[in-house]
Amino acid sequence: MIARLSRLALLLLLPFALASCVLAPGKFVSTLRIDADRHFTFTYVGEVIALDLGDDMAKSLGDTPSTDSTDPTGADGGDGTPTLQPIVLQKDAPADGDDAKDAAKKKAAADAKNREIAAALSKEAGYRKVAYLGDGKFSIDYAISGTLDHAFLWPYNVDAELLFPFIAIELRANNTVRVKAPAFANDTGKSGTSMPGMDKASSQLDGVFTLDTNAEIVSQNNEDGAVTTAGRKTITWKATPLTKDAPTAVLRLAPGK
C-alpha cells in the first residue's frame, strides 16, 4: 500500500515537473533580516542548480515494484486492472548508436531552457546578477527589501515556471511570522514521497543561512540558539547534505497599523 501511494504521488507530480523548473541551492550565503516593525531584507548570493526531474521520476516509477500487485511487472493494480504507470513509462527505446545523439540533443535543449530561465529572472526586481554557467548551474546575486504585510516566497517567477521555493515567510495570527527554508536542508529519505532526483541537488548543498532580528523569537530549531549583540539576535544555520531539518523560526512582530 505504501509503495502504491508513493507511486501515485509521483504520478500526480510528474506533469508539474515536466512543465516547470525545479531549482535547488548549491554553494551559497543567504541572510534574512526581519525587524519588529515588519521591515525585512533577504539576500542570496551563490549557486543555483536547475533540475530535470522528469526522467528521474519516470525511472523511479519503473524501479519501484508494487508490493500489492499480482503482476510481477507491477503493471496492474493487484486485480488485473491496468494502472497509469505503463502509460507514463512507455517510450520508444533508442538504438545504441542513437544514444549519444539523443544525449547531445537533450543537453542542448536543457541549456536553451536554462538560458531562457536566466533571462526571465534577470527581468525581476531583486536580481543584481543572473548568469547561466552551463551544466544546469547558475550564479545568482539577489537582494530585496520590503514590508511584511503579505507572504514572501523566493524564488518564484511565473515566466520561468519555478517550483519549490527556497524560503517562505508566512504571516500568522497574533502578529507572528513563520520563516521556513525547506531548500536549505536535505530531507531525502525522511518521507516515502520524496521527489526523485532531489538527492542529486542535495549532494551539492553547501551554504550558510542567517536570520537577524530585533523581534521576539517565539521558537526556532537551531540547537545553538540565538546570539544577542546590541539588541539584535542572530541565528545561523549551516546547510550541508547531512542537514535534515529545514531552518525554521517563529517571530513576534510589533502590532500592525
Side-chain angles (χ1 to χ4, degrees):
M1 177 62 72
I2 293 177
R4 179 179 295 178
L5 290 175
S6 296
R7 290 199 309 277
L8 177 59
L10 297 178
L11 281 168
L12 294 174
L13 287 170
L14 181 56
F16 296 99
L18 291 173
S20 305
C21 178
V22 179
L23 299 181
K27 293 183 179 180
F28 71 92
V29 173
S30 179
T31 64
L32 173 62
R33 174 178 173 135
I34 296 180
D35 295 336
D37 63 2
R38 299 173 182 256
H39 180 269
F40 82 99
T41 297
F42 173 75
T43 71
Y44 181 99
V45 179
E47 299 172 345
V48 169
I49 301 165
L51 306 177
D52 181 4
L53 301 187
D55 286 344
D56 291 308
M57 294 182 74
K59 290 176 183 177
S60 176
L61 289 168
D63 293 341
T64 306
S66 172
T67 57
D68 303 318
S69 175
T70 58
D71 183 346
T73 66
D76 65 54
D79 56 1
T81 303
T83 67
L84 291 175
Q85 181 175 334
I87 299 175
V88 175
L89 298 178
Q90 280 179 350
K91 292 183 179 179
D92 294 328
D96 292 341
D98 295 333
D99 286 348
K101 292 182 180 179
D102 289 344
K105 289 181 180 179
K106 195 170 185 180
K107 184 179 184 305
D111 284 339
K113 181 179 180 180
N114 288 333
R115 284 191 289 270
E116 292 177 358
I117 291 172
L121 293 180
S122 66
K123 298 175 183 178
E124 182 182 333
Y127 284 92
R128 299 182 292 192
K129 173 187 175 184
V130 182
Y132 180 55
L133 306 178
D135 294 326
K137 186 174 292 187
F138 299 80
S139 177
I140 299 288
D141 185 345
Y142 179 87
I144 196 165
S145 297
T147 301
L148 287 176
D149 53 9
H150 54 78
F152 173 78
L153 300 175
W154 186 84
Y156 179 81
N157 184 283
V158 175
D159 293 333
E161 298 181 325
L162 301 183
L163 287 178
F164 304 120
F166 290 10
I167 186 168
I169 305 176
E170 175 189 2
L171 290 177
R172 300 172 70 82
N174 302 321
N175 298 310
T176 60
V177 60
R178 181 172 69 172
V179 176
K180 188 167 186 178
F184 297 165
N186 177 10
D187 67 352
T188 302
K190 290 179 65 176
S191 168
T193 58
S194 293
M195 185 76 75
M198 291 301 289
D199 55 336
K200 297 178 182 177
S202 297
S203 67
Q204 302 182 61
L205 186 59
D206 180 12
V208 175
F209 173 57
T210 301
L211 172 62
D212 176 355
T213 186
N214 62 354
E216 175 191 351
I217 299 176
V218 178
S219 65
Q220 55 86 27
N221 67 342
N222 187 320
E223 64 181 18
D224 293 330
V227 176
T228 302
T229 304
R232 299 195 66 87
K233 291 152 283 193
T234 59
I235 308 171
T236 301
W237 289 267
K238 179 67 175 157
T240 75
L242 298 179
T243 304
K244 300 301 181 185
D245 297 318
T248 305
V250 176
L251 310 178
R252 192 177 308 280
L253 308 177
K257 296 181 180 180

